[in-house]
Amino acid sequence: MKFVAEALHLSPPAAKRLEERNLLREAFVKHSFFHDIVSAYKLEKKFGGFEEGTLIAKTKHGLEVVRGYPKIRRALTLHPTIKKHFRDEVVVEEKMNGYNVRIVNFGSNLYAITRRGFICPYTTEKAREMIDSSFFRHYPELMLCCEVVGKESPFVVKDIYGTDLDFYIFDVREKRSNRSLSIDNKMKIAEEYGFKLAPILERCDTNVAHEVCRDIIERIGNEGREGIVLKDPEMKINPIKYTTSESNATDLYFAFRYFNDYGKDFMLSRLVREAFQSFEFNENESKFKERCERIGKAILESMIKSVIDVSCGREVSEHHRLRFSSLEVLELFKVHLIRMGVDVRFSDPYHDGEKYVLEFRRIMRSTTDKISHHLKGNLW
Amino acid sequence: MKFVAEALHLSPPAAKRLEERNLLREAFVKHSFFHDIVSAYKLEKKFGGFEEGTLIAKTKHGLEVVRGYPKIRRALTLHPTIKKHFRDEVVVEEKMNGYNVRIVNFGSNLYAITRRGFICPYTTEKAREMIDSSFFRHYPELMLCCEVVGKESPFVVKDIYGTDLDFYIFDVREKRSNRSLSIDNKMKIAEEYGFKLAPILERCDTNVAHEVCRDIIERIGNEGREGIVLKDPEMKINPIKYTTSESNATDLYFAFRYFNDYGKDFMLSRLVREAFQSFEFNENESKFKERCERIGKAILESMIKSVIDVSCGREVSEHHRLRFSSLEVLELFKVHLIRMGVDVRFSDPYHDGEKYVLEFRRIMRSTTDKISHHLKGNLW
């Protein structure tokens, strides 16, 4: 791990602190598929100026630091928050609902790093197949920050984007400094290399942005989409995010479906958002009733589904179905999941004529046990 | 505080532990109204066999230990919990929604002790006016465990019981040992001394109790009442409680109205109850829709009310209106509230022709500040 201190340019006391605080964890499973990498660690928490999820790798070609994707803070009300936060103009992009991945190039291969800093075999295989790597020959110092969305997701399974799996780039950043290219430069690069971008919905005057955003939020909410990210066109100011009620309801559905495995902060924050939005949108009685029912239903329907599962002798679990080009990568992904500490049951892989298919269930142990305990007649 | 160790019969090491763990807090404000008491402490947490809220008092007439009211655990499902927990027969009592008070006699005066172990001047004045103290001449070693309910409550303001303030006894216990009289003995005492009891709704075979209780819960829920407590007729087994959906919704209303001042466990546990109840009652679509709307509305309406309060420049607060016979006790109660650490604004007392009236607002500082912060455009 000595190379980590060197790569991060840490002073000896800082290096000692890093070690004592036990903030490093191995970021990948050694395998020929990742053959450029000799050793790699990820930051479990923010350390100094480095974000949680920062990857530090010793590769055959040199030391690499890939900064973690920064936390995007949230507006509870559109007004006056947008006006207070940005300068004259603001860009409104769609916040897609998938998982956050940074794609980088080591040697002559792409690597896909998840938000927490793990190198994911499945996403790496897909990135190598779908992302034009010539980009990295021209810009080796950059990383592509993407939302990976679709039905075949190991994390957030979504059918609304009409795809099995796809990469939507929302930021192009320097991997070492985390400095972001401007929106215009990002658009140029996307056009040049044929990258898909998270939709840029609007560019408007900060004074009217709250009205523009409200219209967008209501429209995309009706389509079940997640929300928006507001950005400074020059990317000199940190972006902020804001979500639709429909997306909050979906979050609540998952949080309560697995209520003993999820954090209570997650639940409360989503409920508080709803209250601020309902207040700001000053909605009429029938819209408000719809919102109450949507939220109540998300909370109860999900928990009841889990109670029913357990009462029928099933474990509470989340089902995934992924397809791989290589059986070897499929097996590597299984090891990766176990290494990540996920409690998981795999089905036997099979070939569907085109790809190798892996189905697995992520077991929600704590929720399953809690429900089972009470169904047996034990007290709270 | 030396008398505490003596009263509790603590060994010297136990006495030392009690002191070191800082578990004692003064339980009353010195005043001629409490003239029997020389000194009194309450247990801030469970210690050894003594419940949280246990009062230890040095009175002019000797040492007194008044055990804290034991925590009553909760059934998440009626079946098989009741059958598993009780013997042949179970008594179903109404769980009223007020505040829990133990009434004891020191010297020749009654004292009312709240759940946490404070001697409350307001409740003590009311107890001395409304409870026949001759009971304590015959049974000096007993305490009356009451739910104090009504509109003029310093804690839980409720109009459904059609009273300004009243005492409903649910247990008669030995103050020193916490041993409870049987239901029959409690009923005899209530009849003899004219005490009101928390309604005894049913006494039934444990095998059918879950069906009986379900009917009761649906009926009293429609009337906005809180729930039931199930008891062993002999009171040899700990009681268990179960609440109506309407009461859960009311709890949620308060929890979310003051969302940053309340614990998240409180919120989650009430939501989980709803899911188990809906599952067990196997309700039809329209009942389920009603439940979702009730829960969603309780959560959102309450928070929105608080957001509106703050947006209009008001603090989020809870209003109370209490009436006292004695102006001196009124002033003592004000000191008591401040001593308890409540953030409170008092109006000037006035006389309504019959009583001295104190109105006050309990300020929810954390919720007020949090909302204000976000309404100003600050990020989450």
Side-chain angles (χ1 to χ4, degrees):
Chain A
M1 288 200 244
K2 225 179 132 193
F3 72 88
V4 172
E6 188 190 335
L8 298 180
H9 308 318
L10 298 182
S11 65
K16 194 157 172 244
R17 241 186 354 262
L18 178 64
E19 197 169 329
E20 282 170 358
R21 286 175 58 199
N22 212 7
L23 294 184
L24 291 178
R25 181 167 166 194
E26 200 163 32
F28 80 125
V29 179
K30 277 203 176 64
H31 190 277
S32 60
F33 187 58
F34 297 145
H35 67 83
D36 299 284
I37 304 176
V38 180
S39 181
Y41 291 91
K42 70 185 203 71
L43 271 183
E44 292 275 273
K45 285 205 176 136
K46 198 173 181 309
F47 178 77
F50 300 98
E51 297 80 4
E52 181 180 337
T54 293
L55 179 91
I56 309 102
K58 181 178 186 170
T59 76
K60 289 179 181 161
H61 328 282
L63 294 183
E64 293 273 2
V65 174
V66 183
R67 297 281 290 272
Y69 191 79
K71 186 177 155 56
I72 296 189
R73 296 186 67 195
R74 171 179 300 272
L76 279 222
T77 55
L78 295 165
H79 181 83
T81 317
I82 301 173
K83 207 170 138 59
K84 181 169 178 169
H85 194 77
F86 292 102
R87 284 186 290 225
D88 303 345
E89 221 188 14
V90 70
V91 173
V92 186
E93 292 188 3
E94 180 168 348
K95 182 179 192 318
M96 299 179 80
N97 199 354
Y99 61 106
N100 176 311
V101 158
R102 288 157 284 153
I103 297 170
V104 295
N105 188 80
F106 297 155
S108 58
N109 292 297
L110 302 193
Y111 289 85
I113 306 162
T114 61
R115 185 75 182 254
R116 288 167 63 200
F118 288 112
I119 300 176
C120 173
Y122 171 71
T123 318
T124 296
E125 185 190 68
K126 296 289 162 293
R128 290 183 187 175
E129 290 168 359
M130 299 167 77
I131 302 282
D132 179 357
S133 66
S134 71
F135 164 73
F136 291 101
R137 281 203 298 279
H138 305 135
Y139 303 103
E141 77 289 1
L142 297 183
M143 61 180 171
L144 301 172
C145 302
C146 312
E147 197 74 3
V148 187
V149 303
K151 287 198 298 287
E152 297 183 357
S153 169
F155 302 105
V156 181
V157 178
K158 281 278 163 196
D159 206 1
I160 54 169
Y161 301 109
T163 177
D164 290 338
L165 199 80
D166 218 338
F167 292 82
Y168 287 87
I169 292 166
F170 49 82
D171 280 357
V172 180
R173 291 174 176 255
E174 290 176 7
K175 61 186 171 190
R176 169 84 219 191
S177 72
N178 231 341
R179 203 181 63 81
S180 187
L181 300 198
S182 71
I183 305 289
D184 284 341
N185 284 338
K186 172 178 79 170
M187 289 172 76
K188 264 184 225 143
I189 280 173
E191 190 164 352
E192 194 174 342
Y193 295 94
F195 296 149
K196 288 182 183 160
L197 289 182
I200 297 174
L201 304 171
E202 202 68 63
R203 185 186 280 248
C204 61
D205 189 293
T206 309
N207 284 310
V208 298
H210 60 283
E211 287 167 13
V212 172
C213 288
R214 179 183 166 164
D215 288 346
I216 292 173
I217 282 292
E218 291 187 320
R219 176 169 57 79
I220 70 174
N222 287 333
E223 296 165 11
R225 286 148 72 192
E226 189 184 10
I228 54 178
V229 179
L230 295 145
K231 292 179 170 173
D232 171 32
E234 293 306 314
M235 291 296 284
K236 302 280 187 214
I237 302 171
N238 289 332
I240 63 181
K241 61 189 173 186
Y242 187 84
T243 47
T244 65
S245 175
E246 289 75 7
S247 154
N248 294 337
T250 308
D251 278 3
L252 287 166
Y253 184 91
F254 281 95
F256 282 95
R257 173 113 166 85
Y258 313 123
F259 67 87
N260 233 41
D261 290 85
Y262 258 78
K264 292 174 200 98
D265 286 331
F266 183 95
M267 300 165 181
L268 178 61
S269 63
R270 270 134 193 97
L271 292 168
V272 172
R273 291 174 199 172
E274 282 296 289
F276 275 90
Q277 184 171 91
S278 175
F279 165 77
E280 182 172 22
F281 289 8
N282 191 20
E283 56 200 358
N284 63 29
E285 186 126 349
S286 99
K287 282 269 175 208
F288 178 63
K289 212 174 138 172
E290 264 175 44
R291 188 189 291 269
C292 291
E293 214 186 298
R294 179 165 57 238
I295 295 305
K297 214 169 153 177
I299 292 172
L300 292 181
E301 216 164 42
S302 53
M303 278 193 283
I304 293 168
K305 186 166 161 44
S306 296
V307 175
I308 290 172
D309 277 349
V310 177
S311 77
C312 296
R314 292 190 295 266
E315 291 160 314
V316 178
S317 69
E318 196 178 66
H319 178 263
H320 297 270
R321 182 179 179 277
L322 306 184
R323 296 192 305 152
F324 294 80
S325 301
S326 150
L327 188 56
E328 223 183 342
V329 177
L330 182 152
E331 292 298 338
L332 177 61
F333 178 76
K334 288 168 67 174
V335 178
H336 167 77
L337 267 194
I338 293 162
R339 182 76 67 84
M340 278 174 67
V342 180
D343 186 355
V344 65
R345 292 195 203 296
F346 299 106
S347 308
D348 287 334
Y350 61 93
H351 198 270
D352 68 356
E354 196 187 344
K355 301 261 186 181
Y356 295 99
V357 182
L358 174 67
E359 299 195 32
F360 65 90
R361 289 185 303 117
R362 201 184 184 114
I363 309 297
M364 304 299 171
R365 176 64 48 215
S366 169
T367 304
T368 303
D369 291 350
K370 176 84 172 160
I371 292 172
S372 169
H373 180 73
H374 291 305
L375 286 180
K376 282 180 190 144
N378 293 303
L379 303 173
W380 181 273
Chain B
M1 291 197 242
K2 225 177 130 194
F3 73 88
V4 172
E6 189 189 336
L8 298 179
H9 307 318
L10 298 183
S11 66
K16 196 158 171 241
R17 243 187 352 263
L18 179 63
E19 197 169 328
E20 283 169 358
R21 288 176 54 200
N22 212 6
L23 295 184
L24 291 178
R25 182 167 166 194
E26 200 162 33
F28 80 125
V29 179
K30 278 206 175 62
H31 190 277
S32 61
F33 187 60
F34 296 143
H35 67 83
D36 299 284
I37 305 176
V38 179
S39 181
Y41 291 90
K42 71 185 201 71
L43 271 183
E44 293 274 273
K45 286 203 175 136
K46 198 174 181 312
F47 178 78
F50 299 98
E51 297 81 4
E52 180 181 337
T54 293
L55 180 91
I56 309 102
K58 181 179 186 171
T59 76
K60 290 178 178 159
H61 328 283
L63 294 183
E64 293 273 1
V65 174
V66 182
R67 296 281 291 273
Y69 192 78
K71 187 176 155 57
I72 296 188
R73 297 186 67 195
R74 170 178 302 270
L76 279 223
T77 56
L78 295 165
H79 181 81
T81 317
I82 301 173
K83 209 170 138 60
K84 181 168 176 170
H85 194 78
F86 292 103
R87 283 185 292 224
D88 304 345
E89 222 190 12
V90 70
V91 174
V92 186
E93 292 187 2
E94 179 167 348
K95 181 178 192 319
M96 299 178 81
N97 199 355
Y99 61 106
N100 177 311
V101 158
R102 287 157 285 151
I103 297 170
V104 294
N105 188 79
F106 296 156
S108 57
N109 293 295
L110 303 194
Y111 289 84
I113 306 162
T114 62
R115 185 77 182 254
R116 288 167 63 200
F118 288 113
I119 300 176
C120 173
Y122 171 72
T123 318
T124 295
E125 184 189 68
K126 295 291 164 290
R128 289 181 188 176
E129 290 168 0
M130 298 167 78
I131 301 282
D132 179 357
S133 65
S134 72
F135 164 75
F136 290 102
R137 280 204 298 279
H138 305 135
Y139 302 104
E141 77 289 2
L142 297 183
M143 61 180 171
L144 300 172
C145 303
C146 313
E147 197 74 4
V148 188
V149 302
K151 286 198 300 285
E152 298 183 357
S153 168
F155 302 105
V156 181
V157 178
K158 281 279 164 195
D159 206 1
I160 54 170
Y161 300 110
T163 177
D164 291 338
L165 199 80
D166 218 338
F167 293 81
Y168 287 86
I169 292 166
F170 50 80
D171 279 356
V172 180
R173 289 174 176 256
E174 289 176 9
K175 61 186 171 189
R176 168 85 219 190
S177 72
N178 231 343
R179 202 180 63 80
S180 186
L181 301 198
S182 71
I183 305 289
D184 284 341
N185 284 337
K186 172 178 79 169
M187 289 172 77
K188 265 184 223 141
I189 280 173
E191 188 163 351
E192 194 175 340
Y193 296 94
F195 297 150
K196 288 180 183 161
L197 288 183
I200 296 174
L201 304 171
E202 202 68 61
R203 185 185 281 247
C204 61
D205 189 292
T206 308
N207 283 308
V208 299
H210 60 283
E211 288 166 13
V212 173
C213 288
R214 180 184 165 162
D215 289 346
I216 292 173
I217 281 291
E218 291 188 320
R219 176 168 58 77
I220 70 174
N222 287 333
E223 295 165 11
R225 287 148 72 190
E226 189 183 10
I228 53 179
V229 179
L230 295 145
K231 293 179 170 174
D232 171 32
E234 294 306 314
M235 291 296 283
K236 302 280 189 213
I237 303 172
N238 290 330
I240 62 180
K241 60 188 173 185
Y242 187 84
T243 47
T244 65
S245 176
E246 290 75 6
S247 154
N248 294 337
T250 308
D251 278 3
L252 286 166
Y253 184 91
F254 280 95
F256 282 95
R257 173 113 166 84
Y258 313 124
F259 67 88
N260 233 40
D261 290 86
Y262 259 78
K264 292 175 200 98
D265 286 331
F266 183 95
M267 300 164 181
L268 177 62
S269 63
R270 269 135 195 96
L271 292 167
V272 172
R273 290 174 198 171
E274 282 297 289
F276 275 89
Q277 185 171 90
S278 175
F279 165 77
E280 183 172 22
F281 288 9
N282 191 21
E283 56 201 357
N284 63 30
E285 186 126 349
S286 99
K287 282 268 175 207
F288 179 62
K289 211 174 139 173
E290 264 176 43
R291 188 189 291 267
C292 292
E293 213 186 298
R294 179 166 57 239
I295 295 306
K297 213 167 152 178
I299 292 172
L300 292 180
E301 214 163 44
S302 53
M303 278 193 282
I304 293 167
K305 186 167 161 45
S306 297
V307 175
I308 290 172
D309 277 349
V310 176
S311 78
C312 296
R314 291 190 295 267
E315 291 160 312
V316 178
S317 68
E318 194 177 69
H319 178 262
H320 297 270
R321 181 179 179 277
L322 306 183
R323 296 191 306 150
F324 295 79
S325 300
S326 150
L327 188 56
E328 221 182 344
V329 177
L330 182 152
E331 292 298 338
L332 177 61
F333 178 75
K334 287 168 65 173
V335 177
H336 167 76
L337 266 194
I338 292 163
R339 183 76 68 84
M340 277 174 68
V342 179
D343 186 356
V344 65
R345 294 197 202 294
F346 299 108
S347 309
D348 287 335
Y350 60 93
H351 197 271
D352 70 354
E354 196 187 345
K355 299 261 187 182
Y356 295 98
V357 182
L358 174 67
E359 299 196 31
F360 65 91
R361 289 184 303 119
R362 201 184 185 113
I363 308 297
M364 304 298 172
R365 174 66 48 216
S366 169
T367 304
T368 303
D369 290 350
K370 176 87 174 156
I371 292 172
S372 169
H373 180 74
H374 291 306
L375 285 180
K376 283 180 190 144
N378 294 304
L379 303 174
W380 181 275

